[in-house]
Amino acid sequence: MENTEKAIDVINDLIKINNDRAAGFEKAGKDLKEDENGLMAVFSKLAGESRQNVTELTTLAYQFGGEAAEGTSTSGDLHRAWIDIKSTFTGSDLTAILNECERGEDAAKAAYEDALDPENELSPQVHQILLTQQHGIVEGHNLVKSLRDQSETIVDEDDKFDDENIAAEPSYKGATGEYQAPTAYGAPESGTVISDDEWEDEQAAVTGESKLMEFFVNELKDLYWAENKLVDTLPEMAEAATSAELKDAFDLHLIETEEHVTRLEQIFAILGLQPDSRKCEAIAGIVDEGDEIISATKKGTAQRDVGLIFAGQKAEHYEIASYGGMIALAKTLGYYDVAELLVLTLDEEKTADALLTEIAESQANFAASNEPAED
């Protein structure tokens, strides 16, 4: 009974939050001067998504035998964020409008994170519905942030540029096409809420016992082995590197890689599994190649740095491809919380790869080109 009451409270809080979000985007659309950049359609789509969320959450509340909330939130950071939107929009500053929208999206995103706190002890059915809605909130947040960043490239009227350097005003046409709201699992249409066991059996039929889920878990084990192997290998690469910059790059990525291992362990926990690994032949081969490079090059040479960068980037490119694929699979399986963890790692892998490229192009490659070959 206590868990049911807690679930109704969480659901009703999110009803108000989504009402806030819908009202905020509707107000933002009205404050635009004109729809020349297609932003009206963007705001309308995001507001519509929250209206749909409210419908699903309202149905859930009734299914639990409770009353559904009405209206917007009246307290907390979320309320104040949207009050800012409603009170400060003038329609004369597009960047200001998008800034306020992003603040509202930050608050909505935080609200879903709070709702999904394990302490709320939501049933698996409710948890999955909220995860699906959260995915839409996160995607909407990212789109608004992207649009805000575009708006900041608009040239100020008071700035002076020659004809060749005038910046083009960003176009928002087709922006709604970049955003695809997730297909919600949806609340039950009629009858009582199904039992947790029944719901879990239904989900297992399409996820837990599927060939796709089996492949996903196997690849997760592969990545877990690879990241642990790199934790052991990166210190050796840092020690073998010649330039201080390359040593620092490997040391920094070691810290990140240790966090990648932790995230993978979190993902195993989300899936209800113990962390497990299977040998990643690709990373094993890349590590062996790195050992050969160290053996075949002279200590203290730029040539060795070039070889280490090659080996390092081969590992990064493998991981970038792997994490990118795993993110898509996690979304297909409905594990949006898993996808978010994987995105964090993917971004760090891309950054590490870019840093290695910078070191190669700014110093290592040129320095090695000036080292005389061995007779």
Side-chain angles (χ1 to χ4, degrees), residues 7 22 35 38 42 67 93 118 139 176 221 296 314 330 342 357 365:
D35 192 22
V42 175
E67 293 293 328
D93 187 340
E139 292 291 312
T176 54
K221 294 176 181 178
K314 286 181 180 181
L342 294 171
T357 296
N365 291 353

Side-chain angles (χ1 to χ4, degrees), residues 12-13 36 57 72 144 171 221 252 258 293 309 322 355:
N12 279 331
D13 285 344
E36 62 184 2
L57 292 167
T72 56
V144 169
S171 172
K221 294 176 181 178
L252 172 61
E258 290 171 339
I293 288 171
I309 290 172
S322 296
L355 179 57

Side-chain angles (χ1 to χ4, degrees), residues 66 170 189 214 237 341 373-374:
E189 294 183 0
E214 182 180 45
M237 297 179 73
L341 289 171
E374 297 287 340

Side-chain angles (χ1 to χ4, degrees), residues 18-277:
N18 278 284
N19 281 336
D20 282 333
R21 187 172 182 253
F25 278 120
E26 288 168 357
K27 179 66 166 65
K30 292 177 182 177
D31 285 328
L32 292 172
K33 286 183 178 180
E34 55 187 23
D35 192 22
E36 62 184 2
N37 289 324
L39 281 176
M40 186 76 75
V42 175
F43 292 162
S44 177
K45 191 166 186 177
L46 292 170
E49 177 197 42
S50 272
R51 295 295 185 207
Q52 177 183 338
N53 289 347
V54 168
T55 298
E56 294 172 357
L57 292 167
T58 298
T59 302
L60 263 183
Y62 289 144
Q63 294 293 338
F64 276 101
E67 293 293 328
E70 296 181 358
T72 56
S73 64
T74 56
S75 62
D77 293 340
L78 182 65
H79 172 68
R80 288 190 289 274
W82 282 114
I83 284 295
D84 284 340
I85 290 178
K86 296 168 185 176
S87 64
T88 64
F89 280 165
T90 64
S92 60
D93 187 340
L94 181 58
T95 300
I97 290 174
L98 289 168
N99 277 334
E100 295 304 325
C101 285
E102 186 179 356
R103 291 179 62 192
E105 290 293 82
D106 286 339
K109 184 178 175 181
Y112 269 87
E113 291 173 354
D114 290 342
L116 289 164
D117 190 305
E119 291 186 2
N120 288 327
E121 298 179 349
L122 301 176
S123 70
Q125 182 187 13
V126 174
H127 190 267
Q128 189 64 66
I129 291 169
L130 298 192
L131 277 177
T132 304
Q133 291 188 357
Q134 181 192 44
H135 174 60
I137 297 292
V138 171
E139 292 291 312
H141 170 273
N142 292 342
L143 176 59
V144 169
K145 184 178 185 301
S146 174
L147 296 174
R148 193 284 314 276
D149 291 343
Q150 288 185 55
S151 75
E152 291 182 344
T153 66
I154 299 175
V155 177
D156 189 283
E157 292 180 357
D158 295 330
D159 291 339
K160 295 182 180 180
F161 297 90
D162 58 42
D163 291 342
E164 293 182 356
N165 292 324
I166 294 179
E169 181 174 335
S171 172
Y172 302 102
K173 292 181 179 179
T176 54
E178 300 173 10
Y179 171 76
Q180 296 294 328
T183 301
Y185 283 86
E189 294 183 0
S190 61
T192 59
V193 175
I194 64 176
S195 70
D196 291 351
D197 289 342
E198 290 175 318
W199 185 85
E200 289 174 351
D201 286 343
E202 288 183 7
Q203 294 305 299
V206 295
T207 57
E209 296 178 1
S210 69
K211 289 292 186 183
L212 182 62
M213 187 63 181
E214 182 180 45
F215 180 83
F216 181 82
V217 171
N218 284 335
E219 291 303 304
L220 193 62
K221 294 176 181 178
D222 186 278
L223 281 172
Y224 190 57
W225 189 95
E227 295 289 19
N228 276 293
K229 184 66 174 177
L230 290 173
V231 167
D232 294 335
T233 303
L234 282 166
E236 298 174 4
M237 297 179 73
E239 184 178 356
T242 300
S243 75
E245 290 81 2
L246 187 56
K247 288 179 183 289
D248 289 344
F250 286 139
D251 286 338
L252 172 61
H253 198 50
L254 171 61
I255 296 172
E256 293 175 334
T257 303
E258 290 171 339
E259 178 62 24
H260 299 171
V261 171
T262 299
R263 286 187 193 133
L264 291 173
E265 290 171 348
Q266 291 174 336
I267 291 170
F268 277 112
I270 290 171
L271 300 178
L273 302 171
Q274 290 295 321
D276 194 9
S277 64

